[in-house]
Amino acid sequence: MHALILTSPATSIKQQGRYVAQVLIDSGWNVYVIDYNNAYLAHRYVTLYDPKLAINIMDPLVVPHIVKGTNGFSGESITYYTADGVPHTDLNKQHVRQICKSTYVIANSNYSRANLEVVDCHVNEVVPNGIDWVYLGRYFNSPPRYDLVSVGYYNPGLNEYGNNWWGDRKGHPALVGLLYRLWRLGRKYTAHLHTSPDLLTRVFKAFTRQVNVSLSDVDGLRLMISSVDYDFFAVNREPDEKHPIKVTYVGVERDVGSYYDGEYYVTNSYVEGFGLTPFEALAVGRYAIINDLPTWREHLQSNCVSRVPIHATKDYVWGMGVNKLFMQYHIPDFYVWWDLLIKAVNHEIKYDPIICRESVRDFDYRLTYEWFKRKL
């Protein structure tokens, strides 16, 4: 039998599409995976192979979808949603309601489910995302090359000028500001940021204000915006005392496990529908410092995690044109972040890599996506 999987262009969503496909292939299905940028190929596949199943793996911003009765498709359809925000425009709300009425709907977390239910989308079940737990084991307990590591695209939303410090939902401006402060105050450490080129060209426009607002009454905080600041980074080369942070663009290494090459994984994300990277870091045997986001509180119960408490929330509309999400950013307590980073670079946080890895065993995609086989 044939199955069609449509994903959004987002890297993590495409990753889940591949994992679901692998589970179906192992069960004897012929599977075709395509992202929505080439949705016309999906309709071509329907014409040629008459698939019995369509799985829409998507977020609320995405418009194309496959349901029974469209473009000759006569099979059953499932929609697997990640919703790190609430559909904001009337058109987007109507679209999500239409899909929810036409398909069996799964959310990847209760946080995603709550965001969908705001617009009267009934969610049938919650099935968490999966990681390649077995494959990540190739890097288990490998010697860390850096003190700190972080993975994630710089994701600034609509503001092109960088003066909305909260606009980057992955929280890079504040994280870089804190790391810069560590360096200026004489702390010796190395870090590796797997991110995007925009980090270097835009993040310095935003991080000074954010860190100054958050730590304005902490003695010794002085951040300057100048070309000298860019020397803080070692781009695509190894760090040294004067350039403590190595920056490598996500996608240079094809092997996901190679991203987690620091002793401590850190992420300052303000909002996640699920958030895979801490799970992958633990699967490699690392310790994670994260914000206390609802989805991580729900799924990431581990002794190998420090959660930074949330200091405040901020409403923010993220997206472009009619495709916008109303998000609630969870702004952490940066004093706690500061204390944890000092402990990390001093190697004061002790952990057992075996315990870290075992704590996320249940999220192996071979187990999490058994649901799809049972459903079929």
Side-chain angles (χ1 to χ4, degrees), residues 3-5 19-31 53 55 369 372-373 376:
L4 173 64
I5 297 179
Y19 290 161
V20 173
Q22 188 60 55
V23 170
L24 294 179
I25 290 170
D26 292 343
S27 301
W29 286 71
N30 297 305
V31 183
L53 172 68
I55 302 176
Y369 295 143
F372 284 92
K373 289 199 295 186
L376 297 173

Side-chain angles (χ1 to χ4, degrees), residues 2 39 54 99 180 196 218 314 316 341 343 366:
H2 290 270
I99 295 177
Y180 182 70
S196 60
V218 176
K314 184 172 184 62
Y316 187 71
L341 286 174
K343 289 180 180 179
R366 296 165 184 80

Side-chain angles (χ1 to χ4, degrees), residues 24 33 47 50 66 98 110 143 163 204 231 266 297-298 305 315 321-322 334 352:
L24 294 179
V33 181
T47 302
D50 187 25
I66 297 291
Q98 177 187 355
N110 282 314
N163 56 16
F204 278 99
D231 292 335
V266 295
R297 196 181 313 132
E298 175 185 351
V305 173
D315 295 337
V322 297
F334 290 106
D352 184 339

Side-chain angles (χ1 to χ4, degrees), residues 333-348:
D333 186 332
F334 290 106
Y335 291 106
V336 176
W337 257 114
W338 177 249
D339 291 340
L340 286 171
L341 286 174
I342 290 177
K343 289 180 180 179
V345 300
N346 289 338
H347 307 282
E348 296 174 6

Side-chain angles (χ1 to χ4, degrees), residues 349-368:
I349 302 175
K350 307 300 181 183
Y351 62 95
D352 184 339
I354 296 176
I355 292 176
C356 298
R357 177 165 165 76
E358 289 298 317
S359 68
V360 292
R361 176 189 284 271
D362 289 345
F363 295 94
D364 181 353
Y365 79 81
R366 296 165 184 80
L367 300 176
T368 57

